[in-house]
Amino acid sequence: MKLNVVLIDCHDLGDWLGCYGRDWIRTPNIDRLAKEGACFENYFAPSPQCIPSRMGIYCSRYAHTHNVYGQMPPAGDPPLFMAQHFLQNGYQTILSNHLKVPVTPEQAGFHIQTLTSLIMPGTAQEFFEQTKSSSQPFFIHFSFSLIHRPFGQEFDVERLFTLPVPEVLPDTAITQHDLATLAHQIEELDTAVGWILSALDTMNLKDETIVIFTTDHGVALARHKHTLYDTGLRTTLLVRSPSQIKSGLRSDTLLSSMGLFLTLCELTGIPIPNGIHGRSFKSLFDGETYQPDEAIFGSVSWTRRSRQLHYC
């Protein structure tokens, strides 16, 4: 029996989670994935911008090979998307919210899309119940709009002026307020992830489902997002698969998110497609020898946005 796949991603999170040593951010549900699966501590995006980075995650191809610069849509021959490949190999493919790349859900391989900006209690279970009438395994993608700016105005008053300020930022009241709203939004995301994990438990799907939590690039702060510093490219990857991955595995191996697509192919036993730029890192789960890369490639481009700025 093929394993199900639940892919959870969000905007602009970097590695700002409790399980990555930021214990001032309260993320017990996402941290649970790290405890029950694998946590990768040196996981980098191919770009500190949304669309080019997501092309790497979803297609395992560098964005410039499809003329994706800045926020431009793919041009030329369409790339093979992860969901499309799973659909072609017998999976139900369901998308929650928007994919955050300029293609239609159908072009990306989803046969069902539900527009939900935030999973609410009970809603996550409805997604899994949609799959019950089919003998096919499912690939469900929960694509959150959080943690994108604007962070909003909500924050915990008692935490204001208590959060550590990154050394590249001025320690001012404005910065402290900004970090408090960022932390609040991350914790909102964590609550929603908790509902997804609870639904898997309730539906007795945990043992037969691979859960991945990741993000596109670094947080939207100065010298983070949109830069090629580590803070712009370093991201989160947590993978739980009870039948395949030892609980509490932590790896500091240098990896690129370009390899996620291939790794999921190997974990589920479906063929690896041709024309892929990334490398699978499944052997890290198995305790086998893995020859790490000495470096990863990252790039930043602006095009349309830079032209807008030029004429402002």
Side-chain angles (χ1 to χ4, degrees):
M1 180 182 69
K2 290 182 179 178
L3 294 173
N4 305 307
V5 177
V6 170
L7 173 62
I8 308 169
D9 67 22
C10 65
H11 277 291
D12 303 7
L13 179 66
D15 60 356
W16 282 52
L17 296 167
C19 57
Y20 281 86
R22 304 179 190 273
D23 54 5
W24 63 92
I25 299 178
R26 299 176 295 217
T27 52
N29 297 297
I30 299 174
D31 294 350
R32 173 188 166 191
L33 286 175
K35 293 175 183 176
E36 297 179 350
C39 175
F40 293 91
E41 299 171 339
N42 275 311
Y43 190 69
F44 289 85
S47 172
Q49 296 168 281
C50 175
I51 294 173
S53 174
R54 289 172 183 268
M55 290 295 293
I57 296 171
Y58 304 151
C59 304
S60 193
R61 291 185 61 89
Y62 289 110
H64 64 266
T65 64
H66 293 284
N67 296 313
V68 175
Y69 300 104
Q71 309 289 14
M72 305 303 287
D77 294 334
L80 177 69
F81 280 80
M82 186 188 301
Q84 184 181 8
H85 188 58
F86 275 83
L87 181 66
Q88 293 170 355
N89 283 276
Y91 276 74
Q92 306 171 71
T93 53
I94 303 170
L95 173 64
S96 167
N97 204 10
H98 297 283
L99 196 60
K100 316 298 190 303
V101 291
V103 299
T104 67
E106 293 77 14
Q107 289 172 323
F110 292 99
H111 75 283
I112 298 174
Q113 179 190 25
T114 301
L115 296 177
T116 50
S117 58
L118 185 66
I119 300 299
M120 302 300 290
T123 308
Q125 187 166 326
E126 292 176 7
F127 273 85
F128 300 122
E129 288 175 345
Q130 290 183 66
T131 71
K132 290 174 62 176
S133 61
S134 174
S135 60
Q136 296 175 291
F138 60 74
F139 177 101
I140 300 181
H141 186 171
F142 294 99
S143 181
F144 285 95
S145 297
L146 301 165
I147 309 295
H148 204 283
R149 282 189 181 276
F151 298 147
Q153 296 300 315
E154 295 185 45
F155 60 91
D156 297 329
V157 176
E158 73 277 7
R159 302 179 71 193
L160 194 61
F161 304 112
T162 66
L163 302 177
V165 177
E167 61 181 15
V168 297
L169 299 179
D171 190 352
T172 65
I174 293 175
T175 302
Q176 286 283 354
H177 179 273
D178 199 42
L179 293 176
T181 57
L182 170 60
H184 181 85
Q185 201 169 103
I186 293 172
E187 291 164 8
E188 272 195 323
L189 171 68
D190 182 74
T191 298
V193 172
W195 293 328
I196 295 171
L197 299 182
S198 294
L200 286 169
D201 292 341
T202 300
M203 299 287 291
N204 294 317
L205 291 168
K206 175 181 175 181
D207 290 343
E208 58 199 63
T209 302
I210 303 168
V211 178
I212 306 97
F213 180 87
T214 192
T215 188
D216 47 9
H217 46 65
V219 294
L221 297 173
R223 204 164 171 168
H224 289 68
K225 178 181 178 179
H226 291 159
T227 76
L228 292 175
Y229 294 110
D230 281 6
T231 49
L233 294 175
R234 189 187 298 274
T235 63
T236 293
L237 179 66
L238 307 173
V239 185
R240 186 184 75 180
S241 181
S243 64
Q244 297 173 297
I245 300 172
K246 182 180 178 181
S247 297
L249 174 65
R250 296 188 76 94
S251 173
D252 62 0
T253 303
L254 181 64
L255 298 173
S256 168
S257 57
M258 297 282 293
L260 180 60
F261 185 173
L262 289 81
T263 303
L264 285 177
C265 289
E266 291 201 329
L267 286 172
T268 55
I270 67 174
I272 291 178
N274 296 324
I276 295 298
H277 295 155
R279 289 179 59 203
S280 171
F281 45 84
K282 178 180 178 291
S283 60
L284 292 173
F285 302 132
D286 303 331
E288 298 175 2
T289 300
Y290 177 82
Q291 184 62 45
D293 294 323
E294 295 182 0
I296 58 100
F297 175 80
S299 64
V300 62
S301 59
W302 292 95
T303 62
R304 182 179 64 183
R305 182 173 292 178
S306 66
R307 289 199 296 270
Q308 289 174 339
L309 290 173
H310 179 73
Y311 290 111
C312 286

